[in-house]
Amino acid sequence: INTMSQQILTLELIEQSKKTAAVTAVDRHVKNKMVLGLGSGSTIVYAIERLGQRVLEENLDVICIPTSFQSKQLALKYNLRLSDLSMHPNIDVTIDGADEIDTVLNLIKGGGGALLQEKIVAYNSKAVSYTHLTLPTIY
C-alpha cells in the first residue's frame, strides 16, 4: 500500500472511530424525558445523527440545548426539540468531543468559537460524556 492509500485508510479509521464513540455515547447515556447538551465539532455530527434516529425510532421525548450554530442547525435537520439555558438550566447529560484525554482523565478541548458556551452548558449538566475516538467516558 502506498503512502497516499495509508493516509486515506487512517482518515477513514479516525472517522469511523469518531462515529462509534458518538453513537456509543448517545446509546449509553440518553434516556426518555432528558434535557441534553449538544457539544460542537466533528464528532457531535455523528451524535446528533444518532440522536435523531433514536428520537424517530423510539419516540424519545428529549430537549436539546445546542452549544453552537453548527449543533443547532444539525438538531433542526433531525427535527430535535430545542431550548436554551434560560428555559432549561438543569441539563441531564451533555455529549461533546475532546481533542485529547490522558490516562488520568485530563482532557483538552479545542479552542473553537463555541468553547465558552460548551463550558457553560457542561457546568449546568449533571453529567458530561466526552468522546475521544473510541473512548466515550462519562464524568
Side-chain angles (χ1 to χ4, degrees), residues 32 53-61:
N32 197 33
Q53 289 173 341
R54 288 196 57 207
V55 165
L56 192 62
E57 293 168 3
E58 301 170 35
N59 200 30
L60 289 180
D61 179 19

CSV table of all heavy atoms in Angstrom, one decimal, residues 32 53-61:
chain,number,residue,atom,x,y,z
A,32,ASN,N,-35.3,8.7,27.7
A,32,ASN,CA,-36.5,9.4,27.5
A,32,ASN,C,-36.7,10.5,28.6
A,32,ASN,O,-36.3,10.3,29.7
A,32,ASN,CB,-37.7,8.5,27.5
A,32,ASN,CG,-38.9,9.2,26.9
A,32,ASN,OD1,-38.8,10.0,26.0
A,32,ASN,ND2,-40.1,8.8,27.4
A,53,GLN,N,-32.0,9.6,15.0
A,53,GLN,CA,-32.5,8.2,14.7
A,53,GLN,C,-33.3,7.7,15.9
A,53,GLN,O,-34.4,7.1,15.7
A,53,GLN,CB,-31.4,7.3,14.4
A,53,GLN,CG,-30.7,7.5,13.0
A,53,GLN,CD,-29.5,6.6,12.9
A,53,GLN,OE1,-28.9,6.1,13.9
A,53,GLN,NE2,-29.0,6.5,11.7
A,54,ARG,N,-32.8,7.8,17.0
A,54,ARG,CA,-33.4,7.3,18.2
A,54,ARG,C,-34.7,8.0,18.5
A,54,ARG,O,-35.7,7.3,18.9
A,54,ARG,CB,-32.5,7.3,19.4
A,54,ARG,CG,-31.3,6.3,19.3
A,54,ARG,CD,-30.6,6.1,20.6
A,54,ARG,NE,-31.6,5.7,21.7
A,54,ARG,CZ,-31.3,5.9,23.0
A,54,ARG,NH1,-30.3,6.5,23.4
A,54,ARG,NH2,-32.2,5.5,23.9
A,55,VAL,N,-34.8,9.3,18.4
A,55,VAL,CA,-36.0,10.0,18.6
A,55,VAL,C,-37.1,9.5,17.6
A,55,VAL,O,-38.2,9.3,18.0
A,55,VAL,CB,-35.8,11.6,18.5
A,55,VAL,CG1,-37.1,12.3,18.3
A,55,VAL,CG2,-34.9,12.1,19.6
A,56,LEU,N,-36.7,9.3,16.4
A,56,LEU,CA,-37.7,8.8,15.4
A,56,LEU,C,-38.1,7.4,15.7
A,56,LEU,O,-39.3,7.1,15.7
A,56,LEU,CB,-37.0,9.0,14.0
A,56,LEU,CG,-37.9,8.8,12.8
A,56,LEU,CD1,-39.0,9.9,12.8
A,56,LEU,CD2,-37.1,8.8,11.5
A,57,GLU,N,-37.1,6.5,15.9
A,57,GLU,CA,-37.4,5.1,16.1
A,57,GLU,C,-38.1,4.8,17.4
A,57,GLU,O,-38.9,3.9,17.5
A,57,GLU,CB,-36.1,4.3,15.9
A,57,GLU,CG,-35.5,4.3,14.5
A,57,GLU,CD,-34.1,3.7,14.5
A,57,GLU,OE1,-33.6,3.3,15.5
A,57,GLU,OE2,-33.5,3.8,13.4
A,58,GLU,N,-37.6,5.4,18.5
A,58,GLU,CA,-38.1,5.1,19.8
A,58,GLU,C,-39.1,6.1,20.4
A,58,GLU,O,-39.6,6.0,21.5
A,58,GLU,CB,-36.9,5.0,20.8
A,58,GLU,CG,-35.9,4.0,20.4
A,58,GLU,CD,-34.6,4.1,21.2
A,58,GLU,OE1,-34.7,4.4,22.4
A,58,GLU,OE2,-33.5,3.8,20.6
A,59,ASN,N,-39.4,7.1,19.6
A,59,ASN,CA,-40.3,8.2,20.0
A,59,ASN,C,-39.8,8.8,21.3
A,59,ASN,O,-40.6,9.1,22.2
A,59,ASN,CB,-41.7,7.7,20.1
A,59,ASN,CG,-42.8,8.8,20.1
A,59,ASN,OD1,-42.5,9.8,19.5
A,59,ASN,ND2,-43.9,8.6,20.8
A,60,LEU,N,-38.5,9.0,21.4
A,60,LEU,CA,-38.0,9.7,22.6
A,60,LEU,C,-38.4,11.1,22.7
A,60,LEU,O,-38.5,11.8,21.7
A,60,LEU,CB,-36.4,9.7,22.6
A,60,LEU,CG,-35.7,8.4,22.8
A,60,LEU,CD1,-34.2,8.6,22.7
A,60,LEU,CD2,-36.1,7.7,24.1
A,61,ASP,N,-38.7,11.6,23.9
A,61,ASP,CA,-39.0,13.0,24.2
A,61,ASP,C,-37.8,13.6,24.9
A,61,ASP,O,-37.7,13.4,26.1
A,61,ASP,CB,-40.3,13.0,25.0
A,61,ASP,CG,-40.7,14.5,25.4
A,61,ASP,OD1,-40.3,15.4,24.6
A,61,ASP,OD2,-41.4,14.6,26.3
